[in-house]
Amino acid sequence: MNRPFLKAGYVGLLMILMSLILVIIFPAKASKMPAGFFTPIIAFEFIETRAEVFQLFVSTDGKVRQAMVDAMDLGNRLDYLFMLLYSMFLMMFCLKCAAVSSKKYYYIAAVIAVVVLLADVMENIQLMGITANLETGEFKQYLARLHWFTWIKWGGISAIFLVLFSWFIKGGMFSKIIGISGILCFVSGFLAYLNRCVLNEIFSLTVAVIFLMMIVYCFKYKSYDTD
């Protein structure tokens, strides 16, 4: 029985393991985050102003919360492995869709996965540049670039889901749920870009859920089946 997405599924399992490690390492809470955010690392990625940075990492007495900085930095260092895994997963999935369906537009999604990886690398450089310069406050350039690299990464992921809609919508119920979720993810991401709020958290959570469903799909899908 042919399971064309099986190798991608194994990469996905490693991705799940790495994500669980990151959940343990990244700070679980912060004393103050921008309105609508409840996950410190998500708040940090979408942070916009110097005041928000200081609220996140500096206590009211002006001292840097070093334990939180160290946890963020460690998480972002390990995140290089996670980003390699998830981008590889997306690329392998898209290339297999192209091979099975003979539709060349899935190659576009595979290329976007590479762009997402590069943007994520640059995003982490900006994040660690900010934490490295908290004492001096000289991180304006990192903060300005962070916005663009963060949205290239998250927007790229949602764009890949949008391309994959045509694949998933042709399958059975579970496959269709993934496809429709991808559309909802893209819409929530677009709205979050227009108005930063709790939608950013919903958007990131939707991305995580779709990844999980896609990994399950990799083990579930059989060639020539409807799902």
Side-chain angles (χ1 to χ4, degrees):
M1 188 176 294
N2 190 16
R3 295 176 184 268
F5 294 102
L6 200 57
K7 290 182 180 178
Y10 290 138
V11 175
L13 292 179
L14 293 175
M15 180 181 139
I16 291 174
L17 176 61
M18 195 65 216
S19 67
L20 293 175
I21 293 173
L22 290 176
V23 166
I24 295 171
I25 291 174
F26 276 125
K29 54 185 178 180
S31 58
K32 187 170 180 59
M33 288 179 275
F37 289 90
F38 49 82
T39 309
I41 182 57
I42 299 300
F44 191 19
E45 290 186 12
F46 288 104
I47 213 154
E48 292 182 346
T49 67
R50 283 166 49 88
E52 290 174 345
V53 172
F54 288 132
Q55 287 174 349
L56 188 63
F57 289 107
V58 180
S59 59
T60 53
D61 61 2
K63 294 182 179 179
V64 174
R65 298 185 179 97
Q66 196 58 47
M68 185 171 184
V69 171
D70 291 343
M72 281 288 193
D73 284 349
L74 178 58
N76 281 322
R77 289 189 187 99
L78 293 175
D79 187 46
Y80 285 106
L81 177 56
F82 179 68
M83 68 178 73
L84 182 62
L85 289 171
Y86 83 70
S87 59
M88 185 184 303
F89 171 79
L90 289 173
M91 185 185 301
M92 291 173 68
F93 195 98
C94 295
L95 290 175
K96 188 56 66 175
C97 287
V100 173
S101 68
S102 298
K103 302 295 184 182
K104 292 185 178 180
Y105 54 79
Y106 291 118
Y107 289 118
I108 297 174
V111 172
I112 295 175
V114 177
V115 174
V116 166
L117 173 61
L118 296 176
D120 205 348
V121 169
M122 295 305 298
E123 177 196 60
N124 275 24
I125 292 173
Q126 311 316 309
L127 293 173
M128 296 185 74
I130 291 172
T131 54
N133 291 278
L134 284 172
E135 293 284 359
T136 63
E138 298 297 323
F139 52 77
K140 182 179 179 181
Q141 69 275 26
Y142 295 106
L143 193 59
R145 290 192 293 259
L146 176 63
H147 171 81
W148 297 110
F149 290 126
T150 295
W151 275 109
I152 290 171
K153 179 190 80 171
W154 287 101
I157 293 172
S158 65
I160 291 172
F161 294 158
L162 195 64
V163 174
L164 291 175
F165 172 79
S166 63
W167 172 272
F168 288 119
I169 202 64
K170 297 174 184 177
M173 182 58 69
F174 180 60
S175 182
K176 285 181 170 60
I177 289 173
I178 300 174
I180 294 171
S181 297
I183 297 294
L184 295 176
C185 178
F186 185 86
V187 172
S188 66
F190 180 71
L191 294 175
Y193 179 79
L194 295 178
N195 181 30
R196 192 193 65 168
C197 59
V198 71
L199 276 173
N200 294 70
E201 290 276 2
I202 294 172
F203 173 47
S204 63
L205 180 60
T206 305
V207 168
V209 171
I210 293 173
F211 266 119
L212 183 59
M213 289 193 293
M214 285 178 65
I215 293 168
V216 172
Y217 180 90
C218 287
F219 293 98
K220 178 180 172 59
Y221 178 85
K222 307 176 190 67
S223 289
Y224 310 117
D225 287 356
T226 58
D227 193 303

